């Protein structure tokens, strides 16, 4: 069964450093997303991406964040200068196969720890 | 705006007990409704979904019915097992646009003891 994959599973970084979180969405999906879950809190939407551009972003997704689909398979989230409060689990999701769908499929997440 | 409210946890039950986790939503239009489960140390898995009023989603003994009149989507299971211990998230998305975000409730932690 197709699945969304994410790497790395755990990333530790120093405050102020740049990090790139990587995702491989399901191959025929057209819509891509990033969500964040701070430990013990609810899952929050960050950004959605379609047709090589951002379709919606939340207030959390400020200028420190960017997304990119550098090739036909990867979808990345970059945080330019990490802050302590960026420590969280980051989930990638994809949806919208050729037949259309509302269901989003989530990856296993990347746990980001900022020291 | 759209939002999801669910009962506060943690919930602790004995094995084979009946489970109900309440969920209510606020939305414009006709959202799709979901329950996601997060097992310890793992990511989010879709447990079940319903896309229109009176639909019943079911999976692994869990079920939830889309009640438009009460804007609810309560999760139930007749007999829980220790392996059901996890955090359960009620969620919605607006199918009006294919790329609409999923909005999650705060999550309910369930612990099932032998």
């Amino acid at each position: 069964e197709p699945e969304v994959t994410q790497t790395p599973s755990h990333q530790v970084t120093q405050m102020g450093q740049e990090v790139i979180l990587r995702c491989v969405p399901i191959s025929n999906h057209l819509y891509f997303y990033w969500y964040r879950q701070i430990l013990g809190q609810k899952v929050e939407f960050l950004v959605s991406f379609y047709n090589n551009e951002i379709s919606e972003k939340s207030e959390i997704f400020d200028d420190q964040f960017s997304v990119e689909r550098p090739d036909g398979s990867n979808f990345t989230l970059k945080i330019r200068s990490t802050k302590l409060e960026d420590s969280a689990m980051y989930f990638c999701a994809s949806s919208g196969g050729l037949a259309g769908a509302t269901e989003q499929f989530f990856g296993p997440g990347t746990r980001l720890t900022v020291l | 705006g759209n939002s999801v409210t669910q009962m506060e946890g943690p919930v602790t039950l004995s094995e084979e007990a009946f489970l109900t986790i309440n969920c209510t939503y606020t939305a414009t239009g006709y959202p799709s409704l979901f329950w996601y489960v997060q097992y310890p140390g793992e990511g989010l898995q879709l447990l079940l979904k319903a896309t229109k009023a009176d639909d019943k989603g079911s999976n692994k003994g869990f079920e939830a019915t889309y009640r438009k009149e009460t804007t609810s989507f309560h999760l139930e299971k007749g007999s829980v097992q220790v392996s059901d211990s996890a955090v359960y998230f009620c969620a919605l998305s607006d199918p009006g646009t294919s790329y609409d975000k999923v909005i999650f409730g705060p999550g309910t932690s369930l612990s099932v003891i032998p």
Side-chain angles (χ1 to χ4, degrees):
Chain A
E1 184 175 332
E3 58 182 15
V4 177
T5 60
Q6 292 185 240
T7 54
S9 57
H10 190 189
Q11 174 90 48
V12 181
T13 190
Q14 296 289 325
M15 189 171 56
Q17 295 297 303
E18 174 183 287
V19 295
I20 297 177
L21 310 183
R22 302 181 191 281
C23 168
V24 179
I26 293 173
S27 62
N28 64 344
H29 281 184
L30 303 175
Y31 307 93
F32 314 111
Y33 314 82
W34 284 101
Y35 294 80
R36 180 181 81 176
Q37 183 185 30
I38 295 173
L39 185 63
Q41 299 186 24
K42 70 176 179 180
V43 180
E44 303 171 289
F45 168 78
L46 290 179
V47 65
S48 59
F49 189 87
Y50 169 71
N51 199 26
N52 281 320
E53 61 182 23
I54 291 173
S55 46
E56 185 178 358
K57 60 183 181 180
S58 71
E59 293 177 352
I60 303 168
F61 195 88
D62 61 23
D63 291 344
Q64 293 297 318
F65 292 89
S66 63
V67 290
E68 189 178 32
R69 188 156 164 82
D71 53 41
S73 59
N74 290 283
F75 179 52
T76 62
L77 174 69
K78 181 193 290 186
I79 309 175
R80 286 190 188 81
S81 178
T82 50
K83 304 187 283 287
L84 295 176
E85 54 265 37
D86 294 328
S87 294
M89 181 76 92
Y90 289 81
F91 292 104
C92 174
S94 69
S95 72
L98 295 176
T102 58
E103 179 181 339
Q104 294 184 17
F105 293 81
F106 284 79
T110 293
R111 181 170 298 283
L112 176 65
T113 302
V114 182
L115 302 176
Chain B
N2 296 344
S3 65
V4 176
T5 303
Q6 58 184 108
M7 63 186 287
E8 296 290 331
V11 174
T12 302
L13 294 174
S14 297
E15 206 165 21
E16 299 183 2
F18 185 86
L19 169 70
T20 299
I21 301 178
N22 290 336
C23 170
T24 57
Y25 66 90
T26 301
T28 54
Y30 302 95
S32 294
L33 302 175
F34 309 90
W35 277 100
Y36 283 87
V37 59
Q38 185 177 33
Y39 297 102
E42 298 185 14
L44 295 166
Q45 298 178 27
L46 179 66
L47 180 60
L48 54 83
K49 68 176 181 179
T51 57
K52 61 182 187 297
D54 299 325
D55 266 3
K56 178 186 283 189
S58 61
N59 186 26
K60 299 181 181 179
F62 291 89
E63 58 182 35
T65 301
Y66 190 142
R67 300 287 188 200
K68 190 170 184 299
E69 64 276 13
T70 54
T71 62
S72 65
F73 192 55
H74 305 320
L75 182 68
E76 296 182 337
K77 186 174 185 181
S79 176
V80 293
Q81 305 300 311
V82 173
S83 58
D84 294 326
S85 297
V87 180
Y88 292 82
F89 293 93
C90 186
L92 66 81
S93 73
D94 183 351
T97 56
S98 297
Y99 53 79
D100 201 55
K101 59 186 176 287
V102 175
I103 295 172
F104 289 85
T108 301
S109 175
L110 170 66
S111 293
V112 181
I113 54 178

